[in-house]
Amino acid sequence: RIQQSYSVAGSVSALPAAVVSLPSAALPGQSAELTALFECPVCFDYVLPPILQCQAGHLVCNQCRQKLSCCPTCRGPLTPSIRNLAMEKVASTLPFPCKYASAGCLLSLHHSEKPEHEEVCEFRPYTCPCPGASCKWQGSLEAVMPHLMHAHKSITTLQGEDIVFLATDINLPGAVDWVMMQSCFGHHFMLVLEKQEKYEGHQQFFAVVLLIGTRKQAENFAYRLELNGNRRRLTWEATPRSIHDGVAAAIMNSDCLVFDTSIAHLFADNGNLGINVTISMC
């Protein structure tokens, strides 16, 4: 079993000891030169710990490595895996730019903090906010509404801060989504009612409002969902979520109006459920 560690050039001795031991003293230009050594030759993202190399010492990120049968630099074998402990030590001393730096993010982070930040980075591309995984569209925030209007023409848009969201045929079997857009205060809001079978024989409804906008913009609004009928009232009030967070996150955290089928039937009329939706500014 090969246990020796290699640098990019194939020799640990090629790395100056001062680089490893004095990372905080590195000048910005020096840090940029060092981080450039960690660029993956396939995707141009950074090779971060755990760092593996081919037998000649060339690096490739773990995500790309899983798709390759040979080293993209020398065409040599990628197996057996050789851990490059020296480069891992250097990586732990350097700040790495966010992967969305080209989109405007100015943060540089320790490699262990990068994945968590990039999951919530405001500069990451927006995905299609429609529930379900059928639409794979990604783009800028400004392109979200044009995408919805072009690719999801069936979604109805109502004007005004106080509207009724009518979900028809709520007794349909299986998982079902109802989607509507609400336009007010110069913004667009997506109203989603989702029916899921949490466990066999027990279905639940989840209703939430998303802002077609950033998290910071969402903090300026509040919404109220209200079920009315048969001398009963069920109300939920909250801050809308940004479409950057999505419907799934709201459901996972129960940050939405949640009710089961028996409650839905208390308010439904011939299988149709009306939800009063009110948007207000904070």
Side-chain angles (χ1 to χ4, degrees), residues 3-257:
Q3 295 181 331
Q4 186 176 359
S5 297
Y6 295 82
S7 71
V8 174
S11 171
V12 175
S13 60
L15 288 172
V19 170
V20 176
S21 60
L22 298 174
S24 58
L27 297 174
Q30 293 174 321
S31 293
E33 291 177 5
L34 289 172
T35 54
L37 296 176
F38 290 84
E39 279 190 3
C40 173
V42 179
C43 67
F44 302 108
D45 201 352
Y46 293 104
V47 181
L48 300 178
I51 295 176
L52 302 175
Q53 64 175 53
C54 76
Q55 294 186 30
H58 300 121
L59 308 181
V60 64
C61 76
N62 289 325
Q63 189 170 359
C64 290
R65 187 184 180 92
Q66 296 171 14
K67 306 171 187 176
L68 298 172
S69 57
C70 63
C71 173
T73 302
C74 69
R75 302 301 175 187
L78 290 171
T79 55
S81 294
I82 304 170
R83 188 88 172 263
N84 193 318
L85 300 179
M87 288 298 278
E88 288 187 13
K89 188 172 183 181
V90 176
S92 68
T93 70
L94 295 174
F96 287 90
C98 169
K99 69 187 296 184
Y100 304 116
S102 60
C105 184
L106 301 177
L107 286 182
S108 290
L109 311 104
H110 188 270
H111 71 79
S112 62
E113 300 171 332
K114 257 173 66 70
E116 184 177 354
H117 161 75
E118 289 166 354
E119 280 293 313
V120 297
C121 179
E122 290 287 358
F123 293 92
R124 84 182 197 275
Y126 284 76
T127 57
C128 177
C130 291
S134 58
C135 184
K136 304 297 184 182
W137 178 89
Q138 287 189 338
S140 66
L141 176 59
E142 293 73 23
V144 173
M145 281 306 298
H147 163 74
L148 292 175
M149 295 171 66
H150 175 74
H152 303 279
K153 297 177 181 178
S154 61
I155 299 178
T156 301
T157 299
L158 295 182
Q159 303 289 330
E161 56 200 73
D162 196 350
I163 60 106
V164 176
F165 177 16
L166 183 63
T168 59
D169 300 324
I170 64 170
N171 296 320
L172 288 171
V176 186
D177 298 306
W178 294 266
V179 181
M180 179 177 285
M181 297 295 297
Q182 182 174 356
S183 179
C184 59
F185 300 114
H187 286 79
H188 296 280
F189 299 83
M190 176 171 277
L191 321 177
V192 178
L193 176 66
E194 187 166 312
K195 181 170 70 168
Q196 294 184 3
E197 188 165 3
K198 281 299 187 179
Y199 49 89
E200 190 173 355
H202 183 76
Q203 293 182 325
Q204 283 187 304
F205 290 84
F206 304 87
V208 66
V209 173
L210 307 174
L211 171 69
I212 310 297
T214 66
R215 297 184 186 91
K216 190 172 185 63
Q217 289 173 326
E219 293 173 358
N220 297 321
F221 299 96
Y223 74 92
R224 183 175 74 246
L225 303 179
E226 190 171 275
L227 300 179
N228 270 307
N230 300 317
R231 300 178 66 181
R232 296 175 176 85
R233 177 181 297 173
L234 181 62
T235 302
W236 166 264
E237 296 183 348
T239 300
R241 283 187 167 245
S242 163
I243 55 171
H244 238 173
D245 297 321
V247 177
I251 292 176
M252 183 183 303
N253 296 315
S254 296
D255 187 15
C256 53
L257 176 61

